[in-house]
Amino acid sequence: MAKLAINDGPKVIDRQLGKDWPISGDIERENLMEVLESGRWWRGSGDSETSKVGRFEQAFAEFQDAKYGVAITNGTQAIECALKAVGIEPGDEVIVPAATFVASATACILVNAIPIVVDIDPENYQIDPDAAAAAIGERTVGILPVHYGGYPCDMDAVQQIADRHGLWVIEDAAHAHGSLWNGRGCGSIGDIGSFSLQMGKTLTAGEGGICLTNDDDLAAMLYSYHHIGRFEGRPFYEHHIVASNLRMTEWQAAVLLGGLSRLEDQAETRDRNARYLEDGLRQIEGVAPIERDEWVTRWNFYFYHFKFHSEQFGGIPRARFVEALGAEGLGCGSGHLHPIQQNPLFVERNWGPACFGDNEPPDYPSMPTPECERIYEEEGISLNHRLFLGGTEDMDLMLEAIQKVRDNVDELR
Ligand SMILES: Cc1ncc(COP(=O)(O)O)c(C=O)c1O
């Protein structure tokens, strides 16, 4: 008789793991009513520190160990705003990793810059510093590392390369709220850190973004670029630079202040559960955790990833493993499908109205990132962060499901 649920055996997990997402409570309800009744539905201009947006900016910056925060409409525009603040010019080249959401690169194109895509380190799935160094050319102005899945990337190595070549660093921390690099919040290490606050993220208002910086001048430029070219303290109808309206609403900040009040606890819970799961994954043949680098002091992931080794797992393809695990009640994913430069927009060179000065984007299909490709095709498995918000008994169930598939792998051939 079949043992695996995929073959009509009994399933291991027949209850919900973790918690539903998003989570909200009294703080959000009260804040939202307060905004509604106050009649102040936007951040305003001069006295923005009294707005909910201003309070959220300050609180989140403090939480991530940065001096300034500028709240933005979404994570894509947060990167665009950061690129404008550091002074990006048409045709400038920006180094980005292949394993990320496409917005890390398209945000560059949206400001007429050219993303140069580099491979990732197969150990931790983060930007490979050697590949980044090798990709630096005459037109390179900055590095945009991504803390992919919320795992802090090697910021020492990235910063050293940047310093050596006079480049800026914008951290795409869209997945890394609450993650700590050497005890410091991700997004507060480079020149600017950008975050997404979209629905799936570990801090969310449905949509939203924020940029962090420790630099006074960059903070002023971020503010201006998100606020139609205004500068703080100047007359309302005085505009200094060509800039869009990327302001967050008071509604979003009302919700975010609630989420932020829970983020520390949730980050600790996810990290604790993940470490427990890692101990168990090491005991199962054919799967392995990402072994944490010494700088990872807390991993508050948007998605947790671990490794699947087909050759040690009875030779079955990853898709079959994922299917079998899903039947056991553990839904998993496998990342962002392919290295970003394999998206049709790069292959077909659909840049829209972007213009790159005298420089043209490279031939992206001939830009190989073999480790990233292999990991997306064969090795990486991802689990949603919400699954890690319960107790260790949930981790035991996940491990039991994986072990069961391993023990009965013959049924899958
Ligand atoms: C790494 C990364 N950067 C940027 C973004 C863009 O954020 P948003 O969807 O808020 O525009 C995302 C969105 O998921 C992302 O994953």
Side-chain angles (χ1 to χ4, degrees), residues 68-87:
Y68 302 105
V70 176
I72 311 270
T73 37
N74 59 57
T76 307
Q77 289 176 322
I79 303 173
E80 288 175 55
C81 193
L83 288 163
K84 288 177 189 164
V86 295

Side-chain angles (χ1 to χ4, degrees), residues 339-357:
I340 46 171
Q341 76 278 17
Q342 290 179 13
N343 275 292
L345 84 93
F346 289 103
V347 177
E348 294 159 17
R349 303 177 76 75
N350 293 330
W351 316 132
C355 54
F356 306 100

Side-chain angles (χ1 to χ4, degrees), residues 73-79 99-104 144 146-149 172-175 194-199 201 206-209 302-303 336:
T73 37
N74 59 57
T76 307
Q77 289 176 322
I79 303 173
T100 182
F101 180 61
V102 74
S104 309
L144 200 144
V146 180
H147 303 293
Y148 189 55
D172 183 345
H175 302 169
S194 68
F195 292 77
S196 166
L197 303 165
Q198 171 271 338
M199 181 72 182
K201 306 301 187 303
E207 296 284 1
Y302 163 46
F303 51 86
H336 284 98

